[in-house]
Amino acid sequence: MSTRGKQSLAFVVNDINFFFSHRINLAEKLSEKFEIYVFSDTLKISNSKLLKNSSIKYVHIKARRSKNKLINILSTIRYIINLIYLLKLNKVDNVFYITLESSILGAIASKFLNNKNYFVISGAYVLRQSKNLRSIVVRIFSLFKSSKNKFIFQNNKDQKFFEEILGKKHFSFVIKGNGINLNTINFNSIKSFKRIKFIFASDLFYSKGVGEYYDAAVALKNANINADFYMAGKYKKNHAFSIKESLYNKILKSDAIEYLGAWDQNTFLNNINDYHVFVLPSFGEGMPLAVLEAMASGRALICSKVPGCNECIQEGLNGYFCEALSTKSLIQAINKIMNNQKGISDMGAYSRKIIEKEFELNLIYKKYLDVIYL
């Protein structure tokens, strides 16, 4: 128990920038009830950002870096030992392990700790694709199973999938996202326009449907569609999920798509209202933050009908679904928008209503409290 009389709660996250983009608002809200710690590699971010909120304490833990398998094993062991030591040193009562990777390592660490552990699993689609990884996950979570451990999923399909591979005896809950702070997002209704502006904004990963969006834009531009296509996102050349460099070069030179470069979260929020339809033909998500923020700003949507994304669209009311991995299906969804241009403004307004009803920060915060106090 904290010396300040509050219970302590820690977020363990591999990427500190990911924490600031996806979890900071929830952490600040939880600081009303808990003493908050964040365990991550803090060398990757400025001290001014770390010191901005005095209610959150950041604890540096060296990230696992090496690509060499042997060294990576040693690095992983070192990381787990350090994590156990730091959690004990700071007397943390509750630990949130953020993402699947942190949750796997946290499950091992939890065997040597006496606190409550919450494995926040997002993007479980990678387990559907990899039998080897799925086998490792099942063994680890089964071997280190405890009544102190609870799973939190961001969509119903991921929870059901884990129940299928782990059994239903694990304690699991669904909390859709981390909460959208509507005070920080401007809602601007879509007014009259001459040409529809479609935008894709995400890291340039093939799993986000970058190739399908590019191919659809090229095909529709060649058909003289009365619309413009934009793309924003960082190209990470050596990342395992990045698109091929040849596709990236095509995007840079394309007449069908205007590439806007890499956008951070602030740039996204400052510019999203310049566009009408947000497009994410992803292969799978936990709960896509960019989609939720686009909804909060009042944009219509086109998303693939996959876990995570399928929680964001009510077909025909705030957008349309397409099938993942299908340029043809994406073109059909874009044509539906084109044939219903007068309805785009109403779709954007309906997106905002969904956020207010299901994803607003205070609603999500209360759901987290319910799980913690259970």
Side-chain angles (χ1 to χ4, degrees):
M1 179 75 71
S2 166
T3 56
R4 296 193 320 206
K6 292 181 178 180
Q7 280 198 17
S8 53
L9 188 155
F11 289 80
V12 176
V13 58
N14 290 324
D15 185 346
I16 189 66
N17 289 297
F18 179 80
F19 169 79
F20 274 99
S21 63
H22 286 68
R23 297 297 194 284
I24 185 64
N25 289 331
L26 178 62
E28 289 174 343
K29 192 68 180 174
L30 286 167
S31 70
E32 296 174 6
K33 298 284 187 179
F34 300 91
E35 186 176 358
I36 301 296
Y37 292 82
V38 177
F39 291 76
S40 189
D41 191 331
T42 58
L43 299 180
K44 300 179 180 180
I45 201 160
S46 67
N47 284 331
S48 61
K49 200 164 188 177
L50 296 176
L51 297 172
K52 189 175 181 180
N53 190 321
S54 60
S55 65
I56 299 176
K57 179 180 178 180
Y58 295 90
V59 180
H60 174 69
I61 179 168
K62 186 178 180 181
R64 297 175 300 122
R65 298 178 186 277
S66 178
K67 294 182 180 179
N68 180 282
K69 289 185 178 180
L70 176 60
I71 297 176
N72 193 46
I73 291 172
L74 296 176
S75 176
T76 299
I77 294 171
R78 182 261 304 160
Y79 177 88
I80 293 172
I81 292 172
N82 286 345
L83 180 61
I84 293 168
Y85 169 75
L86 290 170
L87 287 170
K88 286 184 175 180
L89 179 66
N90 289 280
K91 299 179 181 179
V92 176
D93 300 304
N94 305 276
V95 187
F96 279 60
Y97 295 99
I98 307 300
T99 73
L100 177 62
E101 183 180 353
S102 284
S103 295
I104 292 171
L105 302 180
I108 299 172
S110 69
K111 196 72 173 180
F112 306 92
L113 299 165
N114 294 317
N115 46 32
K116 294 180 180 179
N117 306 288
Y118 304 86
F119 305 124
V120 185
I121 309 293
S122 59
Y125 70 93
V126 295
L127 297 180
R128 297 182 178 92
Q129 298 176 332
S130 173
K131 290 183 179 180
N132 291 334
L133 180 58
R134 185 163 66 245
S135 177
I136 292 171
V137 168
V138 169
R139 290 186 181 186
I140 289 177
F141 284 133
S142 297
L143 182 62
F144 297 99
K145 182 179 179 181
S146 169
S147 60
K148 299 179 299 179
N149 299 341
K150 295 180 174 66
F151 291 85
I152 296 175
F153 299 97
Q154 296 196 321
N155 63 72
N156 295 311
K157 289 287 184 68
D158 283 355
Q159 182 191 43
K160 184 178 179 180
F161 176 68
F162 262 73
E163 288 179 349
E164 290 172 355
I165 64 175
L166 290 178
K168 295 185 178 181
K169 293 183 179 180
H170 291 75
F171 297 97
S172 68
F173 308 85
V174 174
I175 302 178
K176 297 180 181 180
N178 307 291
I180 298 298
N181 186 353
L182 295 178
N183 294 325
T184 64
I185 299 179
N186 294 324
F187 168 72
N188 286 329
S189 60
I190 299 172
K191 299 181 174 63
S192 60
F193 51 85
K194 294 181 179 180
R195 295 172 66 86
I196 300 179
K197 293 182 177 181
F198 294 88
I199 184 160
F200 169 102
S202 177
D203 286 331
L204 301 187
F205 294 163
Y206 69 83
S207 58
K208 299 293 184 180
V210 175
E212 287 72 21
Y213 181 72
Y214 170 79
D215 289 340
V218 170
L220 289 166
K221 278 293 188 179
N222 288 337
N224 295 318
I225 190 173
N226 187 36
D228 295 314
F229 297 89
Y230 300 84
M231 180 179 288
K234 187 173 183 179
Y235 175 58
K236 302 177 181 180
K237 184 175 181 180
N238 296 317
H239 195 285
F241 292 122
S242 283
I243 59 174
K244 292 182 179 179
E245 190 171 4
S246 58
L247 175 56
Y248 177 60
N249 288 329
K250 286 181 180 179
I251 291 169
L252 292 178
K253 299 174 183 177
S254 176
D255 293 327
I257 286 181
E258 182 176 341
Y259 178 58
L260 304 171
W263 280 6
D264 60 18
Q265 190 175 28
N266 287 333
T267 306
F268 178 92
L269 293 176
N270 289 334
N271 289 279
I272 188 63
N273 286 321
D274 293 336
Y275 307 90
H276 308 119
V277 183
F278 184 82
V279 184
L280 187 69
S282 174
F283 300 177
E285 299 285 333
M287 186 57 64
L289 177 62
V291 173
L292 298 180
E293 290 179 335
M295 293 169 68
S297 71
R299 304 306 99 184
L301 301 178
I302 293 176
C303 294
S304 48
K305 199 171 186 178
V306 296
C309 290
N310 62 7
E311 307 276 352
C312 300
I313 289 182
Q314 294 185 27
E315 181 81 8
L317 294 178
N318 71 316
Y320 297 103
F321 285 118
C322 66
E323 297 299 325
L325 292 163
S326 174
T327 299
K328 179 180 179 181
S329 178
L330 177 56
I331 290 173
Q332 290 172 342
I334 292 172
N335 281 327
K336 287 180 181 179
I337 289 278
M338 296 299 299
N339 293 330
N340 187 23
Q341 295 188 37
K342 291 182 179 179
I344 290 179
S345 180
D346 289 339
M347 287 184 186
Y350 201 88
S351 283
R352 176 76 177 199
K353 290 179 181 178
I354 293 175
I355 295 295
E356 293 171 349
K357 184 178 179 180
E358 299 183 29
F359 297 100
E360 191 269 332
L361 178 60
N362 287 312
L363 297 174
I364 299 301
Y365 163 68
K366 291 175 183 177
K367 291 181 179 181
Y368 269 94
L369 289 183
D370 287 343
V371 172
I372 295 170
Y373 290 141
L374 188 66

